[in-house]
Amino acid sequence: MKTYTEKIGNKLNELLEKTYDAEKGFRKAADHTDHSYLKEYFEKKAEQRKDFGYQLKTEISTFGQNVETGDSVTSKMHRAWMDIKALFSSESEEAMLEEAIRGEKAAISEYEDVLSETALPPTTKMLLQKQKDSIKSGLTTVKSLEKAF
Protein backbone atom coordinates (compact mmCIF):
# COMPACT_ATOMS: atom_id res chain seq x y z
CA MET A 1 0.00 0.00 0.00
CA LYS A 2 1.23 3.47 -0.82
CA THR A 3 1.93 5.73 2.13
CA TYR A 4 1.65 9.43 2.66
CA THR A 5 4.70 11.52 2.17
CA GLU A 6 5.19 14.80 3.95
CA LYS A 7 4.49 16.56 0.64
CA ILE A 8 1.12 14.84 0.27
CA GLY A 9 0.28 15.47 3.92
CA ASN A 10 1.02 19.17 3.40
CA LYS A 11 -1.09 19.33 0.24
CA LEU A 12 -4.00 17.64 1.98
CA ASN A 13 -3.72 20.03 4.91
CA GLU A 14 -3.72 22.97 2.49
CA LEU A 15 -6.83 21.51 0.85
CA LEU A 16 -8.40 21.08 4.28
CA GLU A 17 -7.66 24.72 5.15
CA LYS A 18 -9.21 25.89 1.89
CA THR A 19 -12.22 23.69 2.57
CA TYR A 20 -12.68 25.43 5.94
CA ASP A 21 -12.27 28.76 4.15
CA ALA A 22 -14.96 27.83 1.61
CA GLU A 23 -17.31 26.83 4.42
CA LYS A 24 -16.84 30.22 6.08
CA GLY A 25 -17.25 32.01 2.75
CA PHE A 26 -20.52 30.24 1.99
CA ARG A 27 -21.81 30.99 5.50
CA LYS A 28 -20.92 34.65 5.03
CA ALA A 29 -22.69 34.70 1.65
CA ALA A 30 -25.80 33.17 3.26
CA ASP A 31 -25.70 35.92 5.89
CA HIS A 32 -25.51 38.62 3.19
CA THR A 33 -28.56 37.67 1.15
CA ASP A 34 -32.23 38.09 1.86
CA HIS A 35 -33.16 35.88 -1.08
CA SER A 36 -34.49 32.71 0.55
CA TYR A 37 -33.39 30.31 -2.21
CA LEU A 38 -29.86 31.70 -2.30
CA LYS A 39 -29.63 31.68 1.48
CA GLU A 40 -30.61 28.01 1.50
CA TYR A 41 -28.18 27.24 -1.35
CA PHE A 42 -25.24 28.93 0.39
CA GLU A 43 -26.09 27.24 3.70
CA LYS A 44 -26.16 23.83 2.00
CA LYS A 45 -22.80 24.53 0.36
CA ALA A 46 -21.37 25.53 3.75
CA GLU A 47 -22.60 22.26 5.28
CA GLN A 48 -21.16 20.33 2.34
CA ARG A 49 -17.75 21.89 2.91
CA LYS A 50 -18.00 21.20 6.65
CA ASP A 51 -18.62 17.53 5.79
CA PHE A 52 -15.73 17.57 3.31
CA GLY A 53 -13.48 18.97 6.02
CA TYR A 54 -14.46 16.23 8.44
CA GLN A 55 -13.81 13.58 5.78
CA LEU A 56 -10.41 15.07 4.95
CA LYS A 57 -9.43 15.28 8.63
CA THR A 58 -10.35 11.64 9.10
CA GLU A 59 -8.37 10.60 6.01
CA ILE A 60 -5.30 12.61 7.02
CA SER A 61 -5.39 11.19 10.57
CA THR A 62 -5.87 7.63 9.32
CA PHE A 63 -2.47 7.83 7.64
CA GLY A 64 -0.69 9.27 10.66
CA GLN A 65 -0.40 12.86 9.50
CA ASN A 66 -0.99 15.87 11.73
CA VAL A 67 -4.18 17.73 10.96
CA GLU A 68 -3.64 21.46 10.77
CA THR A 69 -6.38 23.99 11.33
CA GLY A 70 -6.42 27.61 10.43
CA ASP A 71 -7.62 30.36 8.20
CA SER A 72 -5.59 31.44 5.20
CA VAL A 73 -4.83 35.07 4.43
CA THR A 74 -6.18 34.55 0.91
CA SER A 75 -9.54 33.37 2.22
CA LYS A 76 -9.80 36.27 4.65
CA MET A 77 -9.20 38.66 1.76
CA HIS A 78 -11.73 36.82 -0.41
CA ARG A 79 -14.43 37.01 2.30
CA ALA A 80 -13.62 40.69 2.93
CA TRP A 81 -14.00 41.33 -0.81
CA MET A 82 -17.38 39.56 -0.76
CA ASP A 83 -18.40 41.84 2.15
CA ILE A 84 -17.37 44.94 0.22
CA LYS A 85 -19.13 43.80 -2.94
CA ALA A 86 -22.29 42.99 -0.98
CA LEU A 87 -22.19 46.39 0.72
CA PHE A 88 -21.72 48.50 -2.40
CA SER A 89 -23.25 46.44 -5.15
CA SER A 90 -26.83 47.04 -6.23
CA GLU A 91 -26.78 43.46 -7.45
CA SER A 92 -25.18 41.86 -4.42
CA GLU A 93 -26.65 38.43 -5.12
CA GLU A 94 -25.09 38.44 -8.57
CA ALA A 95 -21.74 39.59 -7.14
CA MET A 96 -21.81 36.83 -4.51
CA LEU A 97 -22.65 34.24 -7.16
CA GLU A 98 -19.73 35.46 -9.29
CA GLU A 99 -17.42 35.06 -6.30
CA ALA A 100 -18.86 31.60 -5.61
CA ILE A 101 -18.13 30.60 -9.21
CA ARG A 102 -14.57 31.90 -8.92
CA GLY A 103 -14.09 30.03 -5.65
CA GLU A 104 -15.50 26.77 -7.00
CA LYS A 105 -13.23 26.94 -10.06
CA ALA A 106 -10.24 27.48 -7.76
CA ALA A 107 -11.31 24.54 -5.59
CA ILE A 108 -11.54 22.23 -8.61
CA SER A 109 -8.04 23.27 -9.65
CA GLU A 110 -6.71 22.61 -6.14
CA TYR A 111 -8.30 19.16 -6.07
CA GLU A 112 -6.82 18.36 -9.48
CA ASP A 113 -3.39 19.39 -8.21
CA VAL A 114 -3.57 16.99 -5.28
CA LEU A 115 -5.12 14.24 -7.40
CA SER A 116 -2.16 14.47 -9.78
CA GLU A 117 0.07 13.03 -7.03
CA THR A 118 0.91 9.45 -7.97
CA ALA A 119 1.57 8.37 -4.38
CA LEU A 120 -2.01 8.84 -3.16
CA PRO A 121 -3.49 5.82 -1.42
CA PRO A 122 -6.63 4.53 -3.18
CA THR A 123 -8.95 5.63 -0.36
CA THR A 124 -7.61 9.18 -0.52
CA LYS A 125 -7.83 9.32 -4.29
CA MET A 126 -11.43 8.07 -4.20
CA LEU A 127 -12.41 10.58 -1.52
CA LEU A 128 -10.83 13.52 -3.35
CA GLN A 129 -12.35 12.51 -6.68
CA LYS A 130 -15.80 12.25 -5.10
CA GLN A 131 -15.45 15.67 -3.47
CA LYS A 132 -14.13 17.25 -6.68
CA ASP A 133 -17.02 15.78 -8.69
CA SER A 134 -19.47 17.21 -6.17
CA ILE A 135 -17.86 20.65 -6.44
CA LYS A 136 -18.02 20.43 -10.26
CA SER A 137 -21.71 19.60 -10.07
CA GLY A 138 -22.23 22.54 -7.72
CA LEU A 139 -20.39 24.81 -10.14
CA THR A 140 -22.95 23.98 -12.82
CA THR A 141 -25.73 24.85 -10.37
CA VAL A 142 -24.21 28.14 -9.28
CA LYS A 143 -23.63 29.15 -12.91
CA SER A 144 -27.31 28.58 -13.67
CA LEU A 145 -28.25 30.57 -10.56
CA GLU A 146 -26.08 33.45 -11.74
CA LYS A 147 -27.99 33.55 -15.04
CA ALA A 148 -31.23 33.89 -13.07
CA PHE A 149 -29.94 37.04 -11.38
Side-chain angles (χ1 to χ4, degrees):
M1 175 166 74
K2 296 178 181 176
T3 59
Y4 276 38
T5 64
E6 187 175 335
K7 178 181 174 186
I8 292 172
N10 289 340
K11 281 189 172 198
L12 288 173
N13 270 302
E14 287 172 15
L15 192 60
L16 177 61
E17 184 176 303
K18 290 174 183 176
T19 299
Y20 289 142
D21 296 342
E23 176 191 353
K24 291 173 188 172
F26 282 121
R27 288 206 192 285
K28 191 166 283 271
D31 291 343
H32 280 99
T33 185
D34 294 325
H35 191 281
S36 61
Y37 184 80
L38 281 182
K39 184 177 283 293
E40 182 181 330
Y41 172 77
F42 287 136
E43 287 171 349
K44 284 182 181 177
K45 293 300 288 183
E47 277 303 306
Q48 176 194 55
R49 289 312 207 285
K50 182 179 177 182
D51 292 343
F52 284 3
Y54 178 77
Q55 294 166 2
L56 285 169
K57 279 181 7 183
T58 301
E59 188 70 12
I60 293 166
S61 296
T62 298
F63 288 93
Q65 296 294 309
N66 292 326
V67 175
E68 297 175 15
T69 58
D71 198 9
S72 72
V73 172
T74 304
S75 72
K76 288 178 186 176
M77 289 177 10
H78 181 72
R79 287 194 306 274
W81 179 241
M82 284 183 76
D83 287 345
I84 291 166
K85 277 186 149 181
L87 184 62
F88 293 110
S89 176
S90 61
E91 302 175 79
S92 62
E93 279 84 6
E94 184 179 357
M96 286 187 284
L97 289 167
E98 287 171 2
E99 287 302 306
I101 289 168
R102 191 182 71 72
E104 294 293 72
K105 286 179 177 179
I108 291 167
S109 177
E110 290 155 1
Y111 272 83
E112 287 172 347
D113 177 52
V114 178
L115 282 164
S116 71
E117 290 293 329
T118 58
L120 285 176
T123 57
T124 304
K125 193 169 194 130
M126 247 177 20
L127 173 66
L128 295 179
Q129 188 63 52
K130 182 179 173 188
Q131 290 182 356
K132 184 187 98 169
D133 290 346
S134 183
I135 293 168
K136 270 186 155 176
S137 174
L139 179 59
T140 302
T141 302
V142 76
K143 282 181 178 179
S144 65
L145 285 172
E146 182 192 32
K147 289 178 185 174
F149 284 88

